[in-house]
Amino acid sequence: MDVLMADEISKYSNWTALVYSQPGIGKTTMVKTLKGNTVVFSVDGMYHVLSGLPNVSILRMDSKNPSGELGDFYKWVLKNLDKIDNIVIDNLSTFQKFWLNVVAKETKSGMPEIKDYGIVDRVLLDFVSSMKDLGKNLLIFAHERTVEVTKESGGVYTQFQPDVRNLDAIMGIVPIVGRLLVVKDQEKQTENRIVVLQPTLTTRAKDQLIGNLQTIDQMELLPTLQSEI
């Protein structure tokens, strides 16, 4: 057990953030704003927007062997840990789908068995927790899904949330969870990409670090987390 003195803790030291959105909104582009040496675990192969960036290493996952590749990525990071400032997982939603797709091929029905969902839940939580323990900035991307939520009063509403299994447990160990979306200004005919940081009935989010912003510009979130404030 580690004992830490609160007055010695740096607010933004070794942060962890989960950003989710519809595919193609610009999550991977946010990597461009990271300072320092960055390693990207590219699960879906959508890394071309990072072309030409210095100090960025991209490890492409073989979709036919997600479990083995996860272990190999962890070993690679451990081997090069002293040269790494930021770890990016792009993305967790696709990883769980590839993982379940592989195990499904080994069943008679061609579908994952009930136990497989429990296993992947544990794998995802263990992976995020293990990455956090390395003491580096950790950025996780995920797709979004819509969920119908029933209130105690009986009303039903639609909520946007990360498309990640074991979500409550993972959000419990991640201090920043934001939804990236495009906001259109009809009057100016412009589009702005923002990250929603505060939870509402319709948006699953949390912010235990910055604390005073409802939203933040897409390209300002990571520089803010890497500031010395």
Side-chain angles (χ1 to χ4, degrees), residues 80-140:
N80 297 276
L81 194 59
D82 60 338
K83 305 173 186 176
I84 297 173
D85 299 299
N86 313 296
I87 301 171
V88 180
I89 311 301
D90 190 13
N91 77 46
L92 210 56
S93 302
T94 306
F95 175 83
Q96 68 188 16
K97 289 178 173 61
F98 280 142
W99 195 95
L100 289 169
N101 183 61
V102 168
V103 298
K105 293 179 180 178
E106 300 175 357
T107 66
K108 293 182 180 180
S109 65
M111 298 292 291
E113 298 177 349
I114 294 178
K115 65 178 179 61
D116 295 324
Y117 293 101
I119 293 173
V120 74
D121 285 356
R122 190 184 72 245
V123 167
L124 294 177
L125 181 60
D126 285 349
F127 180 50
V128 173
S129 179
S130 296
M131 289 291 105
K132 280 193 63 179
D133 289 344
L134 296 178
K136 304 296 179 178
N137 298 328
L138 176 61
L139 175 60
I140 304 167

Side-chain angles (χ1 to χ4, degrees), residues 164-180:
V164 176
R165 294 190 56 82
N166 210 5
L167 180 59
D168 288 343
I170 290 176
M171 283 190 65
I173 62 173
V174 176
I176 293 280
V177 178
R179 181 190 178 212
L180 174 63

